[in-house]
Amino acid sequence: MKILYFAWLRTEIGKSSEDISLPAGIQTVNDLLNWLPERGNNYAQALQKRDLLRIAINQDYADLDQKIHDSDEVAIFPPVTGG
Amino acid sequence: MKILYFAWLRTEIGKSSEDISLPAGIQTVNDLLNWLPERGNNYAQALQKRDLLRIAINQDYADLDQKIHDSDEVAIFPPVTGG
Amino acid sequence: MIRVQSEDFDLSLEVRKLTEENPAIGAVTAFIGLVRDIAGGTEISSMTLEHYPGMTEKMLREIETEAHQRWNLDASLIIHRYGQLAPGDQIVLVVTCSKHRKAAFESCEFLMDFLKTKAPFWKLEETPEGGKWVDARDGDTKATERWLKS
Amino acid sequence: MIRVQSEDFDLSLEVRKLTEENPAIGAVTAFIGLVRDIAGGTEISSMTLEHYPGMTEKMLREIETEAHQRWNLDASLIIHRYGQLAPGDQIVLVVTCSKHRKAAFESCEFLMDFLKTKAPFWKLEETPEGGKWVDARDGDTKATERWLKS
């Protein structure tokens, strides 16, 4: 699965995107956000503010209970501040 | 007193302004609007729609009961349609 | 700032003049009114705007002052043209500048609503059936009334 | 029409392109967002706008479509810039064109409110104390909520 990070999430995790093979049992956005911190301190640190974060699956906003698949493009980012 | 007419009031009366010496007893805007039709058919015709008309005294909107004086600039015109 | 003129205006130029000296401005709302080719189902070949010189400027200054009293504005501009115009021509420009967008949007709409019911301009439309003075719209009076403080 | 670009834009040119082919348009509302030199009391030397290519265009297209469903619009345009900008630079342009001004004003404000909370852009401000990601404003979420149909 392709995961994209933006803004301060990108700088805290230290990369803008990565390809990840999802472990068995990771089925929803919520599962993914629970699992990512296990990948290292930078993830754990960045995801401390996870209540703030927004998720998009295939470029559409998604809820925590939405299903994710290996073929999806998942993006995690802070609240948007354009305009 | 200087009186100005605008838009269809101007074309119906047939002039854009005139200087008038007010007869005795003409004290308010209402008096003026009651008296003007006596000046001729063109005035009587134009002032048939007097409920529609707006009045300005010295370039400020005025009410019917407002006092007028010989030194005033009085304007009579239809509802505005700019913008 | 207000201007009553027969000449056309350039939107970019006017906005730049208002904002270039003030980098605290974050939000600009501009309204441009154009001559439409159709009015009430009748085709228009041209439109002539008559106004009351002196009172026009006075009214525009008054409504601009009121907008600055109601909203925190950094700059504003009202340009209204008079004389003969063709379909597609620019008639009016209202620009409001503020730190944030809410004040810019609200004050721009306020200025247009008041201009429509207070500024002494009258439109004469030239149609195939001859010249026709435009009637005031009830909707404009209602739009103005909603800004009256209760 | 939507455009996501690093280049600047010219307000007059964009408005003219939207309106010149359609003389039924009587009302144009434009909103321009500018980079402010001060944010939360701190001076800004520059601002960098990051975005999510692909999703940005998708979201802007969605909100533009919704505006056309809600209001009777003849034309509309959203331009949003990305990359490094300086104080006073133009960030965003939203233009809505309609026969009458109410639809133009409302839809322009609607587009800005939704753009502020849905379009995936993030501002990084360069200040004397270093780079600082701009926090989202509660007011923007509230501004968007008022458009939700009950």
Side-chain angles (χ1 to χ4, degrees):
Chain A
M1 195 181 65
K2 189 175 189 188
I3 311 193
L4 306 173
Y5 308 105
F6 291 97
W8 55 254
L9 197 74
R10 171 177 59 74
T11 55
E12 288 191 20
I13 288 179
K15 58 183 87 170
S16 57
S17 73
E18 59 186 328
D19 286 297
I20 293 182
S21 299
L22 289 184
I26 305 297
Q27 296 192 316
T28 66
V29 169
N30 198 41
D31 293 342
L32 177 68
L33 292 176
N34 285 336
W35 171 73
L36 275 175
E38 295 176 18
R39 289 175 61 80
N41 273 340
N42 49 339
Y43 291 89
Q45 189 81 23
L47 286 161
Q48 274 182 340
K49 293 172 233 166
R50 64 169 275 186
D51 289 350
L52 270 184
L53 298 175
R54 304 287 187 267
I55 312 297
I57 301 178
N58 302 323
Q59 308 187 350
D60 271 318
Y61 285 100
D63 294 324
L64 284 178
D65 56 3
Q66 208 158 316
K67 289 272 190 298
I68 51 175
H69 308 92
D70 260 329
S71 57
D72 287 338
E73 175 178 298
V74 174
I76 313 178
F77 48 78
V80 304
T81 57
Chain B
M1 195 181 65
K2 188 174 188 189
I3 311 192
L4 305 174
Y5 308 104
F6 292 98
W8 53 255
L9 198 72
R10 171 176 61 72
T11 55
E12 288 192 19
I13 289 180
K15 56 183 88 170
S16 58
S17 73
E18 59 185 327
D19 285 297
I20 294 182
S21 299
L22 289 184
I26 305 294
Q27 297 193 317
T28 66
V29 168
N30 199 41
D31 293 343
L32 177 68
L33 293 177
N34 285 335
W35 171 73
L36 275 175
E38 296 176 16
R39 289 175 60 80
N41 272 341
N42 51 337
Y43 290 89
Q45 189 82 21
L47 286 160
Q48 276 183 339
K49 295 171 234 163
R50 64 170 277 188
D51 289 349
L52 270 182
L53 298 175
R54 305 288 187 265
I55 312 297
I57 301 179
N58 300 323
Q59 308 188 349
D60 270 319
Y61 284 99
D63 294 323
L64 284 178
D65 56 2
Q66 207 158 317
K67 289 271 192 296
I68 51 175
H69 309 92
D70 260 329
S71 57
D72 287 337
E73 175 178 300
V74 174
I76 313 179
F77 48 78
V80 304
T81 57
Chain C
M1 204 161 41
I2 67 140
R3 269 161 42 205
V4 182
Q5 62 188 43
S6 61
E7 311 85 65
D8 200 9
F9 51 81
D10 181 78
L11 184 55
S12 298
L13 179 69
E14 299 300 340
V15 168
R16 191 162 54 245
K17 283 195 292 189
L18 282 180
T19 59
E20 69 188 351
E21 300 297 332
N22 190 349
I25 295 172
V28 178
T29 302
F31 178 87
I32 306 101
L34 303 172
V35 180
R36 294 175 57 206
D37 62 345
I38 296 279
T42 312
E43 207 174 307
I44 291 170
S45 56
S46 78
M47 171 182 279
T48 301
L49 272 143
E50 178 173 336
H51 78 118
Y52 180 179
M55 183 170 174
T56 305
E57 290 81 356
K58 189 172 182 177
M59 286 297 125
L60 294 181
R61 249 179 244 119
E62 278 183 22
I63 61 173
E64 188 182 47
T65 300
E66 179 153 359
H68 281 258
Q69 282 162 354
R70 288 189 181 213
W71 288 276
N72 193 353
L73 300 180
D74 291 286
S76 61
L77 171 68
I78 305 174
I79 299 179
H80 204 303
R81 294 176 71 190
Y82 60 85
Q84 195 176 28
L85 303 173
D89 280 357
Q90 303 185 117
I91 306 172
V92 62
L93 172 65
V94 172
V95 185
T96 52
C97 306
S98 186
K99 293 181 182 49
H100 301 293
R101 74 186 182 287
K102 193 173 150 63
F105 270 117
E106 285 185 1
S107 58
C108 190
E109 201 168 359
F110 167 89
L111 286 171
M112 275 307 302
D113 284 347
F114 269 75
L115 188 155
K116 281 263 180 190
T117 52
K118 301 289 179 192
F121 285 96
W122 300 273
K123 285 179 182 146
L124 177 70
E125 296 173 338
E126 290 294 340
T127 74
E129 292 115 61
K132 190 174 156 294
W133 290 100
V134 173
D135 284 328
R137 294 171 68 227
D138 283 347
D140 287 331
T141 305
K142 292 206 184 74
T144 304
E145 281 165 1
R146 75 195 156 114
W147 299 104
L148 300 179
K149 289 161 181 167
S150 52
Chain D
M1 204 161 41
I2 67 139
R3 269 160 43 206
V4 182
Q5 62 188 42
S6 61
E7 311 86 63
D8 200 8
F9 51 83
D10 181 77
L11 184 54
S12 298
L13 179 69
E14 299 300 341
V15 169
R16 192 162 52 244
K17 283 195 292 186
L18 283 180
T19 58
E20 67 188 350
E21 300 298 332
N22 190 348
I25 294 172
V28 178
T29 302
F31 179 86
I32 306 102
L34 303 171
V35 179
R36 294 176 57 206
D37 62 344
I38 296 279
T42 312
E43 208 175 307
I44 292 170
S45 55
S46 78
M47 170 182 281
T48 302
L49 271 143
E50 178 173 336
H51 78 118
Y52 180 178
M55 183 171 173
T56 304
E57 289 81 356
K58 189 172 183 176
M59 287 297 126
L60 294 181
R61 248 179 245 118
E62 279 183 21
I63 60 173
E64 188 181 47
T65 300
E66 180 153 0
H68 281 258
Q69 283 162 353
R70 289 189 180 213
W71 289 276
N72 193 353
L73 301 180
D74 291 286
S76 60
L77 171 67
I78 305 174
I79 299 178
H80 204 302
R81 296 176 69 190
Y82 60 84
Q84 195 175 28
L85 303 174
D89 280 356
Q90 302 185 119
I91 305 172
V92 63
L93 173 65
V94 173
V95 185
T96 52
C97 306
S98 186
K99 293 183 182 45
H100 301 293
R101 72 187 183 287
K102 192 173 151 61
F105 270 118
E106 285 184 2
S107 58
C108 190
E109 199 168 1
F110 167 89
L111 286 171
M112 274 308 301
D113 284 348
F114 270 76
L115 189 156
K116 282 265 181 188
T117 52
K118 301 288 179 192
F121 286 95
W122 300 273
K123 285 177 182 147
L124 178 69
E125 296 172 338
E126 289 295 339
T127 73
E129 291 116 61
K132 190 174 156 293
W133 291 99
V134 172
D135 285 328
R137 294 172 67 227
D138 282 348
D140 287 330
T141 305
K142 291 204 184 76
T144 304
E145 282 165 0
R146 77 196 156 115
W147 298 104
L148 300 180
K149 289 161 180 166
S150 51

